[in-house]
Amino acid sequence: MSTVHGGISTTDLRMVGLTAEEVLDFSSNINPQGTSERVRQAAVAADLAAYPDRDSLLLREALAGRLQVDVGQLLIGNGSTELIHLLARARLRPGGRCLIFLPTFGEYEAAAALAGAQIHRLYAAESQSFRWSMESALDTIKEVRPELVFLCNPNNPTGVYLKHEDVARILDAIGQDGLLLLDEAYASLADRRCDSGSLPLSMLPSDNLAILRSMTKDHAIAGVRLGYLLATPGLIDAVRSLQHAWSVNAVAQAAGLAALDDEEHIEEARDVIAASKEFIYERLGSMGIAFTPSSANFLLVNVGDAVQVRTELLRRGIAVRDCTSFGLPRHIRIAVRQREECEHLLRELQEVVDQ
């Protein structure tokens, strides 16, 4: 099953006669500060001649110390996508039941389909600002009794951030026979006022909870792919048994270690995101363009025809995410970047929608 993602496609660029260097990328939801110099230097210094540590032990130990969890509760992956697929294989048998909170990241459904699972879907409506009815969600979970539930929090592409209390209610409904994969890929860059949404790691180990995080987003290292899974040692062992040898390369491990010592970089990014997002809200409102307020570092904008608007913006050197693959053909998703870059995007968007 092929899944559509953000990021600039070389094929698309060739169609409009541009190179990646000539395009402002609003389609990837990464740290608007870019990659820090500390991380760049660590990546350059990695020993390319030596095999990487198959267990990513130094990185796991560093993460365990920061998160105050046991090393055995951590698995490092080649981006969070690899871990999603491995976990689905470890937990879902053919014909098993899986529930996905939609609209959301397409790899959940792709992973469940490859595992041969029955896929149940719980949709959120635009009329409700894409927030799920919690009572309906709990009823569905109790009726379906899924073996695996996928929940992105804050959610991609809507930016909805469920409170800790709501996630805890979902866990209670799942019970001990199921598992919630809570994808917190965007939690570090979320609004400060929403920090309580991130589950306390004191809830681990828990037999019905696994937490997924992405260093790719936090530290703008999408080119090397890096994510990690937090779960019980037994589940971590089951997932690790399916992982290919040397899945996480030496450059990624070196970059990850350096990134853990550069929390300032994330704090600076959060300041940029907060200021730029406030500007975007104000400008879209004055333009009369509908959007969905977001707790994350991206937001949905209703432009009427996502394919056309994305194509026209790309011709102007701006990449946005067409949300048709999320089931939202009227919407684009835009990442929050530096203020001056956002100003440029909105000027071009105004011209496109006025055509």
Side-chain angles (χ1 to χ4, degrees):
M1 179 177 177
S2 178
T3 306
V4 178
H5 292 287
I8 302 174
S9 162
T10 302
T11 301
D12 286 348
L13 290 177
R14 286 182 178 175
M15 288 174 61
V16 295
L18 296 173
T19 64
E21 292 72 27
E22 296 174 300
V23 177
L24 266 178
D25 187 7
F26 284 85
S27 69
S28 298
N29 307 321
I30 62 174
N31 188 318
Q33 299 285 84
T35 311
S36 76
E37 187 57 33
R38 182 179 301 181
V39 171
R40 287 183 184 277
Q41 290 176 4
V44 169
D47 186 356
L48 302 185
Y51 282 101
D53 175 10
R54 289 182 59 169
D55 297 319
S56 302
L57 183 58
L58 294 180
L59 182 53
R60 286 168 59 221
E61 287 177 338
L63 268 170
R66 293 296 178 91
L67 301 174
Q68 295 186 313
V69 299
D70 187 87
V71 174
Q73 293 174 245
L74 280 162
L75 179 63
I76 310 298
N78 187 323
S80 56
T81 295
E82 179 196 33
L83 295 169
I84 289 167
H85 281 264
L86 293 177
L87 182 67
R89 288 173 57 198
R91 288 291 300 203
L92 289 172
R93 55 181 174 77
R97 297 176 301 278
C98 170
L99 177 66
I100 305 174
F101 283 70
L102 293 169
T104 197
F105 187 45
E107 290 295 344
Y108 307 145
E109 185 156 343
L114 286 172
Q118 298 177 22
I119 301 172
H120 299 263
R121 302 168 181 86
L122 184 69
Y123 292 94
E126 184 175 9
S127 60
Q128 300 300 316
S129 299
F130 292 106
R131 301 195 71 86
W132 302 280
S133 162
M134 195 49 53
E135 296 311 316
S136 176
L138 299 177
D139 288 344
T140 300
I141 290 170
K142 291 172 183 176
E143 178 184 346
V144 172
R145 292 179 292 111
E147 296 162 50
L148 180 59
V149 176
F150 288 104
L151 173 63
C152 188
N153 198 44
N155 186 45
N156 171 26
T158 63
V160 169
Y161 204 171
L162 294 185
K163 295 178 181 178
H164 168 203
E165 292 82 1
D166 286 334
V167 177
R169 292 175 71 193
I170 291 170
L171 273 174
D172 286 342
I174 290 171
Q176 293 305 306
D177 293 331
L179 176 72
L180 172 65
L181 178 60
L182 185 67
D183 187 345
E184 294 189 335
Y186 301 102
S188 294
L189 298 177
D191 293 348
R192 286 185 173 87
R193 61 185 172 81
C194 298
D195 283 350
S196 60
S198 186
L199 279 178
L201 296 183
S202 59
M203 294 186 71
L204 291 170
S206 171
D207 288 336
N208 66 346
L209 172 65
I211 296 175
L212 183 65
R213 292 181 176 171
S214 169
M215 299 184 75
T216 295
K217 313 293 190 303
D218 296 353
H219 300 280
I221 50 175
V224 297
R225 315 299 302 135
L226 195 62
Y228 60 93
L229 183 69
L230 286 149
T232 60
L235 181 56
I236 290 294
D237 288 344
V239 177
R240 181 187 288 116
S241 70
L242 300 171
Q243 189 176 39
H244 294 298
W246 303 299
S247 172
V248 184
N249 65 61
V251 175
Q253 291 183 45
L257 281 167
L260 290 180
D261 290 327
D262 202 3
E263 285 300 309
E264 227 177 80
H265 193 58
I266 294 180
E267 283 302 311
E268 291 170 357
R270 284 153 67 98
D271 289 336
V272 169
I273 291 165
S276 291
K277 192 155 60 170
E278 184 177 350
F279 166 74
I280 293 171
Y281 286 176
E282 181 182 343
R283 182 62 62 87
L284 286 175
S286 67
M287 292 163 62
I289 297 177
F291 64 92
T292 302
S294 166
S295 296
N297 58 317
F298 51 85
L299 68 154
L300 276 178
V301 182
N302 190 330
V303 294
D305 186 335
V307 172
Q308 180 182 357
V309 170
R310 176 188 179 274
T311 301
E312 289 299 323
L313 285 174
L314 190 58
R315 290 194 179 106
R316 295 164 180 257
I318 295 173
V320 297
R321 178 72 154 86
D322 165 16
C323 290
T324 301
S325 64
F326 291 105
L328 302 170
R330 298 174 58 85
H331 295 74
I332 60 171
R333 188 194 66 198
I334 59 174
V336 180
R337 295 182 59 117
Q338 300 282 347
R339 165 70 179 262
E340 59 273 17
E341 295 170 330
C342 294
E343 289 177 354
H344 178 58
L345 163 67
L346 293 171
R347 282 196 301 270
E348 297 296 332
L349 179 60
Q350 179 77 78
E351 291 188 12
V352 168
V353 297
D354 285 345
Q355 286 179 348

PDB file of all heavy atoms in Angstrom, residues 9 60 125 164 179 185 187:
ATOM      1  N   SER A   9       9.031  16.525  -3.791  1.00  0.00           N
ATOM      2  CA  SER A   9       9.299  15.446  -4.729  1.00  0.00           C
ATOM      3  C   SER A   9      10.127  15.960  -5.904  1.00  0.00           C
ATOM      4  O   SER A   9       9.774  16.974  -6.525  1.00  0.00           O
ATOM      5  CB  SER A   9       7.978  14.867  -5.250  1.00  0.00           C
ATOM      6  OG  SER A   9       8.168  14.135  -6.432  1.00  0.00           O
ATOM      7  N   ARG A  60      20.301   5.060  23.301  1.00  0.00           N
ATOM      8  CA  ARG A  60      19.267   4.568  24.211  1.00  0.00           C
ATOM      9  C   ARG A  60      19.594   4.934  25.655  1.00  0.00           C
ATOM     10  O   ARG A  60      18.704   5.337  26.423  1.00  0.00           O
ATOM     11  CB  ARG A  60      19.105   3.054  24.069  1.00  0.00           C
ATOM     12  CG  ARG A  60      18.391   2.651  22.788  1.00  0.00           C
ATOM     13  CD  ARG A  60      18.499   1.153  22.539  1.00  0.00           C
ATOM     14  NE  ARG A  60      17.934   0.363  23.606  1.00  0.00           N
ATOM     15  CZ  ARG A  60      18.473  -0.751  24.086  1.00  0.00           C
ATOM     16  NH1 ARG A  60      19.619  -1.213  23.601  1.00  0.00           N
ATOM     17  NH2 ARG A  60      17.882  -1.414  25.046  1.00  0.00           N
ATOM     18  N   ALA A 125     -15.192  15.387  12.355  1.00  0.00           N
ATOM     19  CA  ALA A 125     -15.805  16.247  11.348  1.00  0.00           C
ATOM     20  C   ALA A 125     -15.220  17.652  11.379  1.00  0.00           C
ATOM     21  O   ALA A 125     -14.877  18.180  12.448  1.00  0.00           O
ATOM     22  CB  ALA A 125     -17.313  16.323  11.582  1.00  0.00           C
ATOM     23  N   HIS A 164      -4.556  15.051  28.477  1.00  0.00           N
ATOM     24  CA  HIS A 164      -4.095  13.845  29.168  1.00  0.00           C
ATOM     25  C   HIS A 164      -5.276  13.023  29.670  1.00  0.00           C
ATOM     26  O   HIS A 164      -5.313  11.795  29.544  1.00  0.00           O
ATOM     27  CB  HIS A 164      -3.173  14.270  30.314  1.00  0.00           C
ATOM     28  CG  HIS A 164      -2.836  13.190  31.276  1.00  0.00           C
ATOM     29  ND1 HIS A 164      -2.436  13.438  32.564  1.00  0.00           N
ATOM     30  CD2 HIS A 164      -2.838  11.834  31.152  1.00  0.00           C
ATOM     31  CE1 HIS A 164      -2.211  12.298  33.188  1.00  0.00           C
ATOM     32  NE2 HIS A 164      -2.442  11.315  32.372  1.00  0.00           N
ATOM     33  N   LEU A 179      -3.827  -2.473  22.802  1.00  0.00           N
ATOM     34  CA  LEU A 179      -2.656  -1.598  22.912  1.00  0.00           C
ATOM     35  C   LEU A 179      -2.947  -0.278  22.216  1.00  0.00           C
ATOM     36  O   LEU A 179      -3.452  -0.252  21.096  1.00  0.00           O
ATOM     37  CB  LEU A 179      -1.430  -2.256  22.258  1.00  0.00           C
ATOM     38  CG  LEU A 179      -0.152  -1.401  22.218  1.00  0.00           C
ATOM     39  CD1 LEU A 179       0.459  -1.285  23.618  1.00  0.00           C
ATOM     40  CD2 LEU A 179       0.884  -1.998  21.251  1.00  0.00           C
ATOM     41  N   ALA A 185       4.770  12.527  17.829  1.00  0.00           N
ATOM     42  CA  ALA A 185       5.801  13.074  16.946  1.00  0.00           C
ATOM     43  C   ALA A 185       5.886  14.592  17.018  1.00  0.00           C
ATOM     44  O   ALA A 185       6.959  15.168  16.826  1.00  0.00           O
ATOM     45  CB  ALA A 185       5.535  12.638  15.501  1.00  0.00           C
ATOM     46  N   ALA A 187       4.640  16.553  19.682  1.00  0.00           N
ATOM     47  CA  ALA A 187       4.393  17.066  21.033  1.00  0.00           C
ATOM     48  C   ALA A 187       5.431  18.104  21.462  1.00  0.00           C
ATOM     49  O   ALA A 187       5.099  19.093  22.108  1.00  0.00           O
ATOM     50  CB  ALA A 187       4.358  15.914  22.029  1.00  0.00           C
TER      51      ALA A 187
END
